[in-house]
Amino acid sequence: VELCLEALVRILFIAIIGVGAGVVLVMQTVMAIFVLFHHTNVTFPHERRWGWIFIVPRLHRVHHSVLRAEHDSNYGAVFSWWDRLFGTLRDQEPTAIGLADAGVISVRELLGQWSRLWRRPGEALDWLQGALMRGNYLLRPAYARQHDKGERG
């Protein structure tokens, strides 16, 4: 849903200001390259210096932390100065990355769970509420479970 809304806003903005197709293509290509780059698990010489201008892998890792205080940061996709400007830059290694204690389910199971939203909305909402109450790790992020346990973060 978020990606669809983002695309809709982007399309409206492009239509309103009249940006050419070539400019959009170049911008989207550069953005895709940066997103792929900062999601790699690599380090390179002078990465800290480059991080003053660009989002580099070492800056973006903390955005995927299991701790809310850490993952609510480093939102930039290309330039790190946006996070500096808005006070969301954290220059640190994350405590841990990913979904803590995430269970493994098949793609078929996942699609089956989410298809309920379209077939039987009332039942799906009951299932969703139950899953959240049980602490279903696919739906309930680590920071929420920590909050329930009284942990800080």
Side-chain angles (χ1 to χ4, degrees):
V1 173
E2 178 186 352
L3 290 175
C4 291
L5 291 174
E6 178 190 349
L8 187 63
V9 168
R10 191 179 307 222
I11 290 167
L12 288 171
F13 183 74
I14 290 168
I16 290 169
I17 66 170
V19 176
V23 173
V24 173
L25 179 63
V26 168
M27 193 256 328
Q28 288 299 125
T29 302
V30 169
M31 182 78 82
I33 290 168
F34 268 92
V35 168
L36 289 172
F37 169 67
H38 69 240
H39 279 96
T40 62
N41 192 20
V42 298
T43 58
F44 55 91
H46 310 293
E47 188 174 1
R48 186 175 290 276
R49 284 189 211 151
W50 283 105
W52 276 93
I53 301 168
F54 300 106
I55 295 294
V56 293
R58 63 175 290 286
L59 285 178
H60 190 72
R61 276 184 210 111
V62 74
H63 180 73
H64 293 281
S65 173
V66 297
L67 300 178
R68 182 176 191 145
E70 292 180 358
H71 78 68
D72 282 349
S73 61
N74 299 14
Y75 295 105
V78 177
F79 298 111
S80 63
W81 66 64
W82 291 112
D83 284 304
R84 291 181 204 290
L85 177 69
F86 291 105
T88 55
L89 185 78
R90 289 183 73 110
D91 192 357
Q92 68 181 64
E93 284 295 319
T95 304
I97 297 173
L99 300 172
D101 304 320
V104 176
I105 69 168
S106 70
V107 171
R108 185 177 180 182
E109 285 178 286
L110 180 64
L111 292 175
Q113 291 173 356
W114 287 104
S115 70
R116 293 181 191 181
L117 290 172
W118 304 110
R119 290 181 299 165
R120 297 184 296 266
E123 182 182 316
L125 290 175
D126 291 342
W127 171 82
L128 184 60
Q129 183 180 11
L132 291 173
M133 296 304 287
R134 289 189 308 274
N136 184 310
Y137 293 109
L138 285 175
L139 298 172
R140 193 164 177 82
Y143 65 81
R145 293 190 308 278
Q146 291 168 346
H147 182 279
D148 292 344
K149 294 176 186 176
E151 298 176 20
R152 290 197 139 345

